[in-house]
Amino acid sequence: MKKISPLLLLFLICAAVPASAAGNEAARKDILDGYAAAAGPGFAGFSAERGRPLFLGPHAGGKPETPACATCHTPDPRAVGHHYRTGRDIPPMAVSQTPDRFTSLAEVEKRFGRDCPAVLGRDCTPLEKGDFITYLSGQ
Amino acid sequence: MALRPHLLCLALPLTLLAVSPAFADEGEWVPPVRHAETLKECGECHMAFQPALLPAGSWRAIMGNLSDHFGEDASLPAATAASIEHYLVAGAGRGDPALLRITEQRWWRHEHDFSPSRFTRPEVRSKINCAACHKGADQGFYEDD
């Protein structure tokens, strides 16, 4: 075990290249720009006011155990959430608490791809995704 | 000569794949997970269970059906799923490959032959929270029972 720990440490450093706050901000903007482009011709900007009820729910159509994002993440986006079945901690959704939230498109799409069907019973639209990120970026 | 960091980043996961002996033991210690994708993706929703806790057939079945992972959608990009499956299978242990849950394996039921109410305590919540009772579970230590 001792032998591999320096290597492991190096790997962790490689895996977690510390991104600057400006880098995080730029990465979030790129993701939002992508959703804006996908939102269609009527698009007039994302809205934290629309994102908030999307987060808080409750919604119908998804799994009965998870009627809202807030079911696991709690109604306070700055709080640590808990997986509804396993109890596993979920770092806060609020960007103020988790600065690298919404900075990897692959990660963001993975979570929307799983969680929108679980909560809403359908995929989220690009507009909803942008509203959601916009709301939590201000929290 | 110093190795360039990006080369090490590539080489390391491959090296680590080779260091997990494929044995499940009689419930004391198993090699901890040393594979970054497994730690991250499995560990997002539950402790990343050690490869030795299930036989290869169970791991293959689990990784082949992530869109219905015990009732949850745990879908991953194909390349990520393949990498994790390779790691899990390489370090797999013994057991019944027809059983997909660790908690269904005979050795597990034998080791946990006590009142089910222990698992519903608020601090435990679920049978899969190994670390609620085994404090070193994420490092593979289970001998504290």
Side-chain angles (χ1 to χ4, degrees):
Chain A
M1 282 299 110
K2 265 228 149 100
K3 256 194 157 168
I4 65 166
S5 45
L7 282 172
L8 183 69
L9 184 66
L10 179 71
F11 180 70
L12 290 175
I13 292 167
C14 294
V17 178
S20 67
N24 285 338
E25 209 51 58
R28 264 190 298 276
K29 184 176 181 305
D30 283 350
I31 292 172
L32 282 174
D33 287 349
Y35 289 141
F43 178 70
F46 293 121
S47 155
E49 287 68 40
R50 286 194 305 260
R52 186 170 180 271
L54 192 59
F55 177 82
L56 290 176
H59 303 282
K63 292 175 138 189
E65 302 93 331
T66 54
C69 311
T71 304
C72 294
H73 298 295
T74 85
D76 176 4
R78 296 184 190 86
V80 172
H82 297 282
H83 189 283
Y84 83 102
R85 268 174 76 178
T86 69
R88 187 79 155 170
D89 283 1
I90 307 171
M93 294 303 289
V95 166
S96 65
Q97 306 301 307
T98 309
D100 65 351
R101 272 269 179 249
F102 315 120
T103 56
S104 156
L105 180 61
E107 195 64 21
V108 165
E109 278 293 298
K110 182 185 84 181
R111 293 303 339 178
F112 278 136
R114 291 182 191 173
D115 297 341
C116 293
V119 171
L120 300 169
R122 60 169 173 81
D123 288 332
C124 291
T125 66
L127 184 69
E128 287 170 329
K129 293 175 184 177
D131 289 344
F132 185 85
I133 293 173
T134 300
Y135 167 60
L136 293 165
S137 297
Q139 292 298 304
Chain B
M1 188 192 86
L3 272 171
R4 279 176 295 176
H6 71 274
L7 284 181
L8 279 178
C9 289
L10 283 175
L12 189 63
L14 299 175
T15 311
L16 293 179
L17 280 177
V19 302
S20 290
F23 69 93
D25 215 291
E26 315 345 293
E28 303 299 310
W29 183 80
V30 291
V33 177
R34 297 287 194 222
H35 181 243
E37 286 171 303
T38 302
L39 283 170
K40 176 183 180 298
E41 299 298 347
C42 307
E44 218 164 86
C45 298
H46 54 67
M47 189 187 92
F49 300 114
Q50 289 86 13
L53 297 182
L54 280 176
S58 303
W59 285 129
R60 287 198 188 93
I62 286 171
M63 295 308 295
N65 190 24
L66 287 178
S67 63
D68 182 5
H69 185 63
F70 305 106
E72 302 297 314
D73 181 0
S75 302
L76 287 172
T80 311
S83 167
I84 291 173
E85 179 176 335
H86 184 260
Y87 175 74
L88 294 171
V89 167
R94 293 191 292 259
D96 182 349
L99 302 175
L100 302 193
R101 292 176 194 271
I102 295 165
T103 54
E104 290 170 339
Q105 296 289 336
R106 198 171 58 168
W107 65 264
W108 193 95
R109 289 190 285 118
H110 175 74
E111 294 279 344
H112 300 82
D113 184 20
F114 42 66
S115 163
S117 67
R118 283 217 216 173
F119 297 110
T120 54
R121 292 177 189 169
E123 71 274 20
V124 179
R125 193 165 175 150
S126 162
K127 281 182 190 174
I128 75 169
N129 281 333
C130 310
C133 303
H134 305 285
K135 296 304 177 196
D138 62 345
Q139 290 305 309
F141 291 104
Y142 295 93
E143 82 274 62
D144 52 348
D145 50 9

